[in-house]
Amino acid sequence: MRITKRLLSFFLVLSVSFSCIGCEPSKTNASTEKPIVLGFSQLGDESTWRSQNSLSIINAAQEAGIKIMFDDAMQNPENQIKAIRSFIAYKVDVIAFSPLVETGWDTVLGEAKAAGIPVIIVDRMIDTEDDSLYTCALCSDFDLEGRRAGEFLMKKFRNTDGPVRIVELSGTEDSTPAIGRYEGFRSVLSSDPKFEVIFSASGDFMRSKGRELMQQILTHYEAEKIDVLYSHNDDMTFGAIEVMLEAGIIPGKDIVIISVDATQRIIDYLREGSVNCVIECNPNSGPQVMEIAKRIVAGEKVAKQIYIEEQVFDEYSDLSSIADRGY
Ligand code: GZL
């Protein structure tokens, strides 16, 4: 039975005491006759992307015959640490988690290592000196995503002298996507001084905060003095576009918009010209996570770092070739 969005929200409500989808304590961690038990700590449910990522994880576990204990940390890393400790106590075969922020994981991952439980890092990365604390990291290349956003602007404004004034809605502070999208973007644009980031603040990947920041921006800057909005995710972009429309600003025309994720709604905006460039960040990592978990439990060697394939859709692309996103 595939989990639907409606059922996911039910599981997420229950997840305070784990959504243990049909699992029983695993008495051995290498037994071939018993299904693998995987403990998954999800960082929250802050965005359309995150909901799809959780659906992908849960459905892939079911399709792989893996019993999953799924916990939604509701944007609190302390909840993730508690969940990981519960997985250790439950003696799961594998732990996987998407760390809200990069720091603060060494102690609890040291406890998982001492318990002999392998760890897969999913989506975002951790900042540690000790890479023995995890077996595999399956992430997006966030610096590449940022560079791709910068490369679009270099092309879009190749025939203008500037200045090109940019406002940036960044993601959760100290999170790998926010760091990579921030740094990668600037690494490309720093080659041309006409590009100037006049405002940058974190909207925590949330639509409501994207709205608030865009309102704040428009009280400090005349719309005519803003050339580009660079938003680290679609949900913040949706909030910003609502505010633009309320202010009589034509998104994609008066202000060029670059957004990251590539949900269906932003692709629709791209097709109608309300957004100019969409950098894909792929949430559908579930099948790869389960494949990695199976190989680890079977004692096979897996790569330490695996990057998820992603692409760019922009106003120069063949937009008719973009398949339905499904989220
Ligand atoms: C990126 C992921 C980010 C998305 C946001 O891999 O961590 O978090 O870009 C989500 O939409 O909230």
Side-chain angles (χ1 to χ4, degrees):
M1 170 194 69
R2 282 180 66 83
I3 301 292
T4 61
K5 281 186 173 50
R6 182 187 299 275
L7 198 51
L8 173 68
S9 51
F10 172 72
F11 274 123
L12 295 182
V13 167
L14 284 180
S15 73
V16 175
S17 54
F18 298 131
S19 311
C20 184
I21 301 171
C23 70
E24 59 282 333
S26 162
K27 295 178 180 52
T28 67
N29 63 7
S31 157
T32 50
E33 65 272 13
K34 273 194 175 305
I36 294 168
V37 179
L38 177 138
F40 191 92
S41 166
Q42 180 59 288
L43 61 84
D45 195 37
E46 75 286 355
S47 62
T48 311
W49 188 100
R50 185 68 50 198
S51 301
Q52 177 60 25
N53 180 243
S54 294
L55 274 176
S56 176
I57 295 288
I58 291 172
N59 283 324
Q62 289 195 285
E63 283 157 23
I66 288 176
K67 305 298 181 189
I68 184 169
M69 298 176 74
F70 184 93
D71 180 79
D72 171 8
M74 294 178 276
Q75 299 284 317
N76 181 342
E78 286 307 313
N79 290 342
Q80 292 197 278
I81 290 169
K82 286 177 193 157
I84 291 170
R85 287 191 167 126
S86 300
F87 299 151
I88 294 168
Y90 202 86
K91 294 186 173 55
V92 298
D93 297 306
V94 191
I95 291 170
F97 78 119
S98 178
L100 178 75
V101 293
E102 292 203 336
T103 51
W105 305 103
D106 281 16
T107 301
V108 72
L109 295 186
E111 294 164 19
K113 181 181 175 183
I117 301 175
V119 171
I120 305 169
I121 298 172
V122 178
D123 170 26
R124 302 182 182 179
M125 193 48 187
I126 63 171
D127 178 9
T128 181
E129 297 297 318
D130 180 3
D131 71 1
S132 74
L133 293 175
Y134 63 94
T135 304
C136 178
L138 175 66
C139 306
S140 294
D141 184 340
F142 300 109
D143 194 78
L144 173 61
E145 292 172 354
R147 294 201 307 275
R148 284 173 162 170
E151 285 156 9
F152 169 77
L153 283 192
M154 295 291 278
K155 180 175 182 180
K156 176 73 178 177
F157 290 93
R158 63 191 178 284
N159 298 323
T160 60
D161 296 331
V164 179
R165 292 149 302 198
I166 302 160
V167 295
E168 178 183 38
L169 307 183
S170 63
T172 302
E173 288 182 22
D174 190 30
S175 71
T176 321
I179 294 166
R181 290 168 189 169
Y182 180 99
E183 293 179 350
F185 185 64
R186 286 160 176 75
S187 69
V188 170
L189 297 184
S190 60
S191 61
D192 189 333
K194 74 183 178 186
F195 294 103
E196 185 190 350
V197 179
I198 60 174
F199 175 95
S200 180
S202 170
D204 253 338
F205 293 122
M206 296 169 75
R207 187 194 64 75
S208 56
K209 293 189 178 180
R211 262 192 75 87
E212 287 168 19
L213 288 176
M214 198 67 222
Q215 287 166 335
Q216 185 184 329
I217 288 164
L218 293 179
T219 60
H220 286 84
Y221 301 94
E222 291 168 46
E224 297 71 31
K225 297 275 192 329
I226 301 169
D227 302 298
V228 179
L229 166 66
Y230 171 44
S231 172
H232 287 194
N233 92 321
D234 293 350
D235 294 73
M236 294 190 293
T237 307
F238 299 146
I241 286 177
E242 288 169 13
V243 171
M244 286 183 194
L245 292 171
E246 290 159 8
I249 297 166
I250 306 173
K253 307 268 184 308
D254 297 338
I255 295 179
V256 169
I257 298 180
I258 304 170
S259 189
V260 187
D261 277 350
T263 58
Q264 186 56 52
R265 185 174 165 194
I266 209 78
I267 296 298
D268 295 343
Y269 283 169
L270 179 64
R271 286 186 169 130
E272 68 187 38
S274 302
V275 163
N276 306 84
C277 176
V278 174
I279 311 294
E280 182 187 31
C281 179
N282 187 345
N284 296 312
S285 56
Q288 278 181 282
V289 171
M290 302 311 149
E291 177 58 29
I292 292 165
K294 284 188 169 180
R295 292 179 58 191
I296 290 172
V297 171
E300 294 175 25
K301 187 137 182 58
V302 296
K304 194 72 176 174
Q305 173 79 57
I306 301 171
Y307 286 111
I308 296 171
E309 288 294 314
E310 296 169 343
Q311 52 188 321
V312 180
F313 308 111
D314 64 28
E315 59 191 30
Y316 307 105
S317 310
D318 170 12
L319 302 181
S320 64
S321 66
I322 305 173
D324 284 351
R325 305 294 294 165
Y327 58 96

